[in-house]
Amino acid sequence: MEDTNSLIEQRKAKLAALRAKGIDPFQNKFTPTETCKQARDNYVESREVALAGRITAHRDMGKSMFIDIRDQSGRIQAYAQKNVLGDEQFHIFQHLDLGDFIGVKGTMFTTKTGEISVKIGGVAAAPSQPSGDGASPLPPFVILAKALRPPPAKYYGLEDTEIRYRQRYLDLIANPDVKDVMLKRSAIIHEIRNFFHERNYVEVETPAMQAIPGGAAAQPFKTFHNALGCEFYLRIALELYHKRLLVGGIDKLFEIGKNFRNEGLSRRHNPEFTMLEAYCAFGDYATMMETVESLITTVAQKVLGSLVIEHPLKCRFKKELNNSIIKLKYLHKKLIEDFNKSLINSDVTTEAYLDFNTVFSASMRELELLSHPNNKTPLNQAIQQARKSFINCSMEGNFFRLSPGMEVTKKEVDGYTEEFVSFITQILPQFDSLKNEAGAIPPESLNKVIDLTTWRRAKYNDLVTEKAGANWFTLSAAERRQKAHDMGAEIGKEFEDFEVTNAVFSKFIEPTLIQPTFVTHLPKELVPLAKLSPDDPTTVEVFECCINGQEISPGYTEQNDPIAQRTTLEHQAGGEQQKLDEDFLVALEHGMPPAGGIGIGIDRLCMMLLGQESIRDVILFPQLKPK
RNA sequence: GGGUUGGUAGCUCAGUCGGUAGAGCAGUGCCCUUUUAAGGCAUUGGUCGAGGGUUCGAGUCCCUCCCAACCCA
């Protein structure tokens, strides 16, 4: 970023001016007595405090001035007065910029309007200061770090998604909701660690650079170690090293770490993502089901204080949503008024069309803001409907192409009038329904609610027949293929029968599993690395825990038969010996205790718990193409 | 990989048939000692994502490319 503009130049000039006065606006240290929040919480009139933070707003009153100071805990208002600071200091204070870090010393007070604030200055010199003739009092404020670039706007926040992701620090400054999500993510991971430590699990760290990337079927990233002169891969799973540790006698272990998969990016996929894996010797998949349920409910309770999680229509834009609805209501009213007026006068001029056009454009904009394809709420559907109608009308209607000063014949005007009347007639009911939807439905019921108090357990085949018909498994393979195709599933030509069924599961069942569901008794073909169910050898002892329409966590009774494991791994490697992790197989041959294992995608768990629709909104620095 | 939408001032956004580049906030200057999206007056600020093309003239039309978001695979 080499761009320069006048705003940066101005700030650099201010920096130079400060330096010329012998002030270094980049300090090494400042010790606040407390955080901004603590100062407000422990309010005592006239109590002396020292606070530090970033200046996020200022209100200049001439001979006095208010600023907002913000640290991680929150904001507090500070008040500076010319007759307290003196002309010189007050002048410097007035020329502070938004974004500067400042430390202030002063006393607490409450303003006329009742806001708890700190009055800068008026604090006696600290005893530790060198005393004597020239003992200078503590400076009432210290510039701790001058910001040379302007911060994002205070009111609108930062909307540009690209800047939000590329310069996340600006996002964190401008959008408090974003910071809240990221802090909660940290709390979630903290509570996950607590959970396992309390259950006497050992936290381990295993190699991220692996000679043979195993434990999952995914494309790895490749790298090269110069000194060793060989290639390494970034891990795609933690599993195989954890099992080596089970062999080594670490019976209960977990790891939270990054996995890397060289595949596509999407709303749910980041090339590097955080994975939790945990293994429990002498347990099985049922043990792990209990663990997952207990883990997620414990974390939700501790971090969110509730087991009922609401996903707002669009978390971050809640404020904008409310504003948009208000604007829409206004526009709706205006449309009706204008329309009635034009009907009464029955002489519609070009200017009147232009007014309509303006209202129309503004309406379109609001609808676009409100539209979010990921939301299937009734309100959103009404919005999509209204948008479609708008677009159709704009395609057909000529009245949008009128402009000021344009000469129009009577005949044309009549034609446009007719078009416009038909357009309005068509669109008004939609506006009405939209208004009613927005007005009548309480905001809570627009939200998706995930209830973690009830965890359903369902067999894979039962879920399939529920959706695809009771006769699904009695059909011939060809009939199943046809039916899946008719239902709209994408069926590859080379798909085996179980893959056809699974395509139906992935497309039509998994997305509907919003409430916590353990899908069990998966067909053995689907999960070749798991152990067969003793009660039904066509299925395996595996669960997939689905919440929020996504698989959050798979769990296994782990394969500990080295010969069976070798066969499946060889089959997976497709005869390519170099892809076979021989060292792992040797470990198994030394004997691995029976064990249950789970993996949990932390990013997706955070999406679910924090109501975020995109994985990028729970990762501080999501991967983007370099500019 | 395919489709859709978008990229205009530091930020949020307008920009109508192709005809001198706009607003609010931020910034700068002046006024104002309890304001809080402070207020009043004045004012600065742009390679309109990049590069070609059409045109007397392009933010606007055409082509190519870059970046992003969303949808699909």
Side-chain angles (χ1 to χ4, degrees):
Chain A
M1 289 223 182
E2 295 169 33
D3 59 318
T4 57
N5 62 49
S6 61
L7 295 178
I8 296 174
E9 291 309 315
Q10 276 172 4
R11 284 169 180 247
K12 283 183 176 167
K14 286 183 179 180
L15 169 64
L18 287 169
R19 290 229 155 105
K21 287 180 179 159
I23 297 169
D24 179 11
F26 295 100
Q27 290 292 302
N28 286 18
K29 189 173 182 183
F30 181 89
T31 309
T33 54
E34 57 221 282
T35 66
C36 295
K37 183 172 190 300
Q38 285 166 339
R40 269 187 288 115
D41 289 349
N42 306 322
Y43 175 74
V44 176
E45 169 99 42
S46 298
R47 189 167 68 86
E48 290 182 6
V49 295
L51 302 173
R54 192 190 282 279
I55 300 174
T56 57
H58 53 31
R59 296 172 285 282
D60 189 347
M61 308 288 297
K63 293 187 179 63
S64 72
M65 187 168 173
F66 291 96
I67 62 169
D68 286 352
I69 297 177
R70 205 171 81 193
D71 64 14
Q72 191 189 305
S73 71
R75 69 168 271 283
I76 193 165
Q77 176 171 266
Y79 182 53
Q81 292 160 292
K82 193 170 190 172
N83 62 359
V84 174
L85 295 187
D87 289 359
E88 169 88 8
Q89 286 288 300
F90 190 72
H91 183 262
I92 293 171
F93 193 87
Q94 276 186 308
H95 287 79
L96 291 168
D97 283 312
L98 292 182
D100 291 352
F101 276 95
I102 186 178
V104 302
K105 299 186 184 195
T107 54
M108 301 298 299
F109 79 110
T110 307
T111 65
K112 265 187 196 169
T113 52
E115 173 149 359
I116 291 174
S117 310
V118 54
K119 195 176 288 179
I120 299 174
V123 177
S128 60
Q129 286 288 59
S131 54
D133 293 350
S136 57
L138 276 181
F141 70 93
V142 188
I143 306 171
L144 303 176
K146 180 104 194 116
L148 296 182
R149 288 171 183 269
K154 61 179 174 185
Y155 181 64
Y156 294 102
L158 183 65
E159 295 286 343
D160 186 315
T161 47
E162 196 171 345
I163 296 178
R164 284 189 48 229
Y165 294 150
R166 287 190 197 279
Q167 294 177 270
R168 180 69 91 178
Y169 48 91
L170 295 180
D171 195 22
L172 291 169
I173 292 169
N175 299 316
D177 294 353
V178 172
K179 189 163 90 175
D180 186 55
V181 165
M182 296 306 174
L183 294 180
K184 286 213 169 97
R185 177 185 169 121
S186 170
I188 286 168
I189 291 172
H190 181 82
E191 291 302 339
I192 291 173
R193 286 209 160 88
N194 277 352
F195 176 89
F196 282 109
H197 286 139
E198 276 170 19
R199 292 193 171 205
N200 296 316
Y201 278 70
V202 176
E203 181 164 9
V204 299
E205 291 175 276
T206 59
M209 292 167 63
Q210 305 180 348
I212 301 165
Q219 286 300 311
F221 286 93
K222 192 187 278 188
T223 186
F224 186 81
H225 192 293
N226 291 338
L228 295 177
C230 63
E231 286 178 342
F232 279 97
Y233 297 87
L234 299 181
R235 66 182 170 197
I236 55 174
L238 314 173
E239 179 166 346
L240 299 190
Y241 280 89
H242 288 179
K243 287 180 173 170
R244 285 168 167 91
L245 294 173
L246 288 172
V247 171
I250 299 178
D251 289 340
K252 293 167 97 176
L253 64 97
F254 77 102
E255 178 171 5
I256 296 171
K258 287 281 181 73
N259 282 348
F260 305 84
R261 295 190 181 175
N262 204 344
E263 293 166 358
L265 288 72
S266 82
R267 200 165 62 78
R268 301 174 193 191
H269 299 87
N270 198 55
E272 59 178 291
F273 58 99
T274 305
M275 195 71 185
L276 161 76
E277 288 195 29
Y279 292 84
C280 178
F282 316 117
D284 67 355
Y285 82 121
T287 318
M288 301 319 279
M289 245 187 290
E290 184 279 325
T291 305
V292 168
E293 179 175 338
S294 183
L295 171 69
I296 292 178
T297 51
T298 302
V299 168
Q301 189 65 53
K302 289 202 172 168
V303 175
L304 307 173
S306 169
L307 293 182
V308 179
I309 297 159
E310 289 190 17
H311 285 210
L313 187 58
K314 201 175 178 190
C315 247
R316 214 176 71 73
F317 292 117
K318 208 167 184 179
K319 190 177 74 185
E320 284 81 354
L321 172 69
N322 288 335
N323 290 345
S324 293
I325 288 174
I326 290 164
K327 276 188 213 161
L328 265 181
K329 285 181 177 172
Y330 165 77
L331 291 170
H332 170 248
K333 199 174 134 201
K334 188 160 165 51
L335 265 180
I336 293 176
E337 279 172 4
D338 286 2
F339 183 53
N340 287 340
K341 204 163 37 177
S342 70
L343 273 187
I344 292 161
N345 297 343
S346 76
D347 91 28
V348 181
T349 61
T350 309
E351 282 63 37
Y353 282 121
L354 282 176
D355 284 346
F356 289 135
N357 197 350
T358 307
V359 173
F360 173 83
S361 307
S363 305
M364 272 302 283
R365 217 190 111 53
E366 292 312 317
L367 291 178
E368 273 171 39
L369 275 176
L370 287 174
S371 303
H372 195 282
N374 298 330
N375 280 289
K376 305 270 188 277
T377 58
L379 174 63
N380 195 255
Q381 279 166 2
I383 292 166
Q384 301 283 3
Q385 248 328 303
R387 251 196 101 183
K388 268 185 204 155
S389 302
F390 269 147
I391 291 166
N392 289 341
C393 289
S394 74
M395 296 298 200
E396 292 161 12
N398 279 323
F399 50 91
F400 303 112
R401 305 196 189 102
L402 291 175
S403 63
M406 195 174 161
E407 295 289 328
V408 207
T409 66
K410 170 104 179 45
K411 194 178 166 194
E412 280 169 331
V413 168
D414 287 347
Y416 292 141
T417 311
E418 204 175 312
E419 273 191 69
F420 195 81
V421 167
S422 107
F423 165 68
I424 289 292
T425 313
Q426 196 179 333
I427 202 64
L428 271 186
Q430 306 232 9
F431 257 119
D432 262 332
S433 85
L434 201 56
K435 197 183 77 166
N436 293 338
E437 293 271 8
I441 300 177
E444 312 85 63
S445 66
L446 297 177
N447 302 345
K448 178 162 68 181
V449 175
I450 295 174
D451 181 357
L452 295 178
T453 56
T454 313
W455 293 62
R456 181 182 176 201
R457 284 162 168 74
K459 290 184 179 176
Y460 182 85
N461 283 7
D462 293 346
L463 288 171
V464 171
T465 50
E466 209 173 88
K467 187 78 194 179
N471 65 345
W472 177 262
F473 290 105
T474 57
L475 296 172
S476 73
E479 286 170 331
R480 261 195 293 277
R481 180 175 290 262
Q482 185 58 45
K483 186 161 185 184
H485 181 266
D486 293 345
M487 289 170 75
E490 306 279 337
I491 307 296
K493 273 188 180 159
E494 72 289 356
F495 272 24
E496 308 230 357
D497 191 36
F498 74 91
E499 290 177 299
V500 172
T501 299
N502 200 50
V504 170
F505 181 85
S506 304
K507 174 134 187 175
F508 300 110
I509 299 170
E510 192 177 300
T512 67
L513 298 177
I514 303 297
Q515 305 309 326
T517 308
F518 287 110
V519 182
T520 62
H521 295 77
L522 275 70
K524 63 179 183 187
E525 298 84 359
L526 202 58
V527 195
L529 293 175
K531 301 205 79 164
L532 298 183
S533 306
D535 55 330
D536 179 359
T538 67
T539 66
V540 284
E541 291 205 331
V542 164
F543 67 79
E544 281 184 4
C545 176
C546 295
I547 316 179
N548 195 22
Q550 300 188 33
E551 187 192 322
I552 295 272
S553 166
Y556 284 47
T557 300
E558 301 294 344
Q559 180 58 272
N560 64 342
D561 175 343
I563 294 166
Q565 182 77 88
R566 178 178 289 277
T567 309
T568 47
L569 284 187
E570 276 173 350
H571 182 255
Q572 264 195 343
E576 294 181 66
Q577 202 61 33
Q578 71 276 11
K579 286 189 182 170
L580 204 59
D581 193 340
E582 191 63 40
D583 181 69
F584 167 67
L585 289 170
V586 167
L588 277 197
E589 286 167 10
H590 281 285
M592 186 186 97
I598 51 162
I600 297 184
I602 299 293
D603 309 286
R604 289 183 179 183
L605 178 69
C606 289
M607 288 167 68
M608 186 272 286
L609 289 174
L610 302 177
Q612 298 300 311
E613 295 292 333
S614 168
I615 196 169
R616 297 183 190 98
D617 290 327
V618 297
I619 293 176
L620 279 170
F621 298 98
Q623 206 57 247
L624 296 181
K625 198 163 180 171
K627 269 204 133 169

